[in-house]
Amino acid sequence: VTGGADSAGLWPLVPAAAAVDAETVVRALELGSGGREGRPHTVAVMIATVDGRTTVDGRSVGLGCPADRALFRAVRAEADAMLVGAPTLAAERYARLIDTERRAARARKGRAPHPLVVTVSRRLDLDLGAIPVLREPGVDALVFTEADASGDLDEGPALHQMAPGTLTLTGVLEHLARAHGVRSVTCEGGPTLLARLVAEDCLDDLLLTVAPVLLGSVPAAPTLLGPVGLPVPAPLVLADVHRAGEHVFLHYTRRG
Ligand SMILES: NC(=O)c1ccc[n+]([C@@H]2O[C@H](COP(=O)([O-])OP(=O)(O)OC[C@H]3O[C@@H](n4cnc5c(N)ncnc54)[C@H](OP(=O)(O)O)[C@@H]3O)[C@@H](O)[C@H]2O)c1
C-alpha cells in the first residue's frame, strides 16, 4: 500500500500498482502453454478511456502511451498469429509489426519472423489490397471470408473462403490450430471482433489499458465491445494490475 495519510490524516490509502513491464506481463500470459478445446490460447489487447470508449477521431492511437505500445508489441512478438478485424486494419494503419531485434529473436527460435496476420470479414466490403500490412514483405496474411473475392486478391494475403453463414471465430481459431500449427493468438480488436470472441467463449485473457480520459457519449467512438450484445454476461478474474503514469494496465482472465 502506498500513499498513506497526509499530515491532516485526510488522504485515503490507495493500493499500489507495480510499474508495468511488458516482458513480465507477457510471461504471465504463458502463451506457450496452448489453448482450450482445440483452439490456440487467445489474448485480446485493447485500450479504452475510463468511460469505456475505444477511439478518438476514429483511431485508438490517441489514447495510448509508450508503455501501452511496448505492451502490445511485446505480446505480438510472442504470439504465433494476430487476429485483427478488417476495419481495424484499415483504421489503425498497421506497419512494422515487430521490431528488428524481436524478429531476429523469433528467427533464432525457428519461428516465422512475424506472427501470421489473420483477418475476418464475411462480406469483404473493404479494399484489402489497400491495407499495406497485408502486402508487407515477410508478413504472411490470411483472410477468412464468406464472400467470393478470389479475383480481388491475386497478390498479398491468402484467402480462406467459407460457405455463407459458416464463418465463426471458433471455426477460424480451430482452423489456425489444425492447419497452421498456431498455439497463441493476440487479438488487437476492434470492438466488434472482441465481442464475437467473447460471445463464442474463445477469449482466454484480456489485457485492457485504461487511458486517463473521459470522452462522454461520442456516437462514432465505440465502447469496448462495440454495438454487439453478449448472450450472457462474461465474468472475468482480475489476474494483475500495473500502471505507467496515469495509465492503468489490467490483466483479466476468463472465469472458468
Ligand atoms: N481501443 C482499441 O484498443 C481498439 C483496438 C482495435 C480497433 N479499435 C478501433 O475500432 C474501430 C474498428 O472496430 P469495429 O468494431 O468497427 O470493427 P472490427 O472489430 O475491427 O472488425 C469486425 C470484423 O468482424 C467481422 N464480423 C462481424 N460480425 C461477425 C461475425 N458474426 N462473424 C464473423 N465475423 C464478423 C466484420 O466483417 P463482416 O461484417 O464483413 O463480417 C469485421 O471485419 C476502429 O475505429 C479502430 O480504430 C480500437
Side-chain angles (χ1 to χ4, degrees), residues 55-90:
T55 58
V56 177
D57 296 332
R59 300 173 71 196
S60 65
V61 67
L63 300 174
C65 65
D68 175 63
R69 288 187 281 282
L71 181 59
F72 69 68
R73 293 183 76 83
V75 180
R76 264 183 209 170
E78 279 305 307
D80 290 335
M82 284 173 66
L83 176 63
V84 189
T88 293
L89 278 180

Side-chain angles (χ1 to χ4, degrees), residues 45-48 53-55 58-60 63 84-89 91-92 94 119-125 167-169 188-194 196 200 222 226-227:
V45 187
M46 299 288 290
I47 189 166
R53 300 277 166 179
T54 57
T55 58
R59 300 173 71 196
S60 65
L63 300 174
V84 189
T88 293
L89 278 180
E92 300 281 344
Y94 278 75
T119 195
V120 296
S121 173
R122 291 160 302 174
R123 295 162 299 156
L124 214 58
D125 53 354
L167 203 176
T168 64
L169 296 186
E188 298 191 7
T192 305
L193 200 63
L194 176 61
R196 292 303 320 160
E200 294 185 35

Side-chain angles (χ1 to χ4, degrees), residues 79-83 106 114-118 139-142 176 180 182:
D80 290 335
M82 284 173 66
L83 176 63
R106 284 174 67 104
H114 294 91
L116 176 66
V117 176
V118 179
V139 175
D140 287 329
L142 183 53
L176 291 176
H180 296 270
V182 169

Side-chain angles (χ1 to χ4, degrees), residues 140-162:
D140 287 329
L142 183 53
V143 178
F144 288 80
T145 187
E146 296 176 357
D148 179 7
S150 42
D152 302 341
L153 294 172
D154 290 342
E155 296 170 14
L159 192 69
H160 187 96
Q161 195 148 358
M162 304 179 75

Side-chain angles (χ1 to χ4, degrees), residues 77-78 99-113:
E78 279 305 307
D99 315 333
T100 313
E101 255 175 42
R102 288 196 163 115
R103 281 207 301 270
R106 284 174 67 104
R108 280 196 298 277
K109 291 180 190 162
R111 303 179 69 189

